[in-house]
Amino acid sequence: MSDIYELMIAVDLRDEISEQELAELSWHLGTGPQPERLSIVTEFPVVVVDDSGVPEIEDDPYPLLAGDGTAWRVGGVLCSALTRRADLPWKGWSLTSRQEIHPDEFEKVGELLCWLAARAHETHQLGDSAVGIGSLRFYEDEAPDALQVKSRAGQLADLKIGEEPPPSRRAPGGSAQKRQTTPRTPAWLAQQTFVVFADGGDLA
């Protein structure tokens, strides 16, 4: 069984990104080389075994949204693009990405999504400290679920979500209203809105 998800990101960014950050973002999208210093997602720990058979942790950075070409499970094509909004009503950048991701990548991708949400244009703000940033779909599901980034102190940037949907999605009587899922779908994914919790602070 393959736990593969389609990640769709469509976000407009304010014109507040440095040249260093643009270079790093381009690397994550697969459109530029890896910078010497990383400031968006800074750690990529991986366990390796040395010549003596002793496991140790090394840092092995890799671009998070660089998939391109034919998708393996979700159908269609994987791609990423970043375009300057020079002649539009407000300046900044527009980013779109369609990727296949595995749950093992959720934490690092979540860190990048929180960074994007903190720089998203106000049109993406949904209230209650939430920022709409795209969608997430298990590869066997027909319809995607909304993906939001929300600020909550004490929570790490992570694509794992709470066990219950917010009050607006509760059924009458206070019980949680969850969409039907197949046994292949992890229980923590059984809701219609995925929330990435940022590590405190204001996303606006």
Side-chain angles (χ1 to χ4, degrees):
M1 181 183 69
S2 299
D3 291 334
I4 298 298
Y5 296 82
E6 174 196 52
L7 172 66
M8 288 285 296
I9 303 171
V11 60
D12 297 313
L13 306 173
R14 301 189 302 271
D15 195 18
E16 303 172 0
I17 303 176
S18 68
E19 291 298 324
Q20 161 65 24
E21 292 170 331
L22 282 175
E24 186 173 348
L25 189 54
S26 296
W27 170 65
H28 278 299
L29 299 177
T31 59
Q34 178 180 339
E36 293 184 3
R37 183 178 66 87
L38 301 179
S39 61
I40 299 176
V41 181
T42 58
E43 296 181 352
F44 293 80
V46 59
V47 178
V48 299
V49 179
D50 63 17
D51 296 336
S52 302
V54 178
E56 58 183 24
I57 298 178
E58 293 185 355
D59 193 45
D60 186 20
Y62 63 93
L64 296 171
L65 303 175
D68 65 352
T70 304
W72 179 49
R73 286 293 189 187
V74 302
V77 174
L78 307 180
C79 59
S80 292
L82 180 67
T83 303
R84 180 76 173 173
R85 297 175 57 94
D87 301 323
L88 296 174
W90 48 268
K91 295 182 179 180
W93 299 85
S94 292
L95 184 153
T96 295
S97 183
R98 181 176 189 260
Q99 300 291 309
E100 288 181 319
I101 64 172
H102 187 273
D104 289 346
E105 303 172 275
F106 280 6
E107 180 178 355
K108 292 304 171 187
V109 173
E111 290 184 41
L112 178 55
L113 294 184
C114 289
W115 186 91
L116 292 172
R119 291 152 182 83
H121 189 262
E122 61 182 11
T123 54
H124 293 275
Q125 296 177 7
L126 304 176
D128 194 24
S129 300
V131 176
I133 204 167
S135 63
L136 190 68
R137 177 179 69 88
F138 184 58
Y139 82 100
E140 289 186 334
D141 290 346
E142 294 183 359
D145 296 305
L147 179 62
Q148 299 176 8
V149 176
K150 187 172 183 180
S151 176
R152 188 172 75 180
Q155 297 292 328
L156 296 177
D158 195 342
L159 275 178
K160 290 183 180 179
I161 58 175
E163 296 181 358
E164 292 186 350
S168 61
R169 292 188 181 274
R170 292 181 182 270
S175 60
Q177 183 179 14
K178 298 182 179 181
R179 65 182 174 87
Q180 299 225 347
T181 58
T182 66
R184 297 183 181 182
T185 303
W188 55 268
L189 287 175
Q191 65 185 73
Q192 295 180 353
T193 299
F194 296 84
V195 179
V196 183
F197 288 112
D199 188 13
D202 191 355
L203 292 174

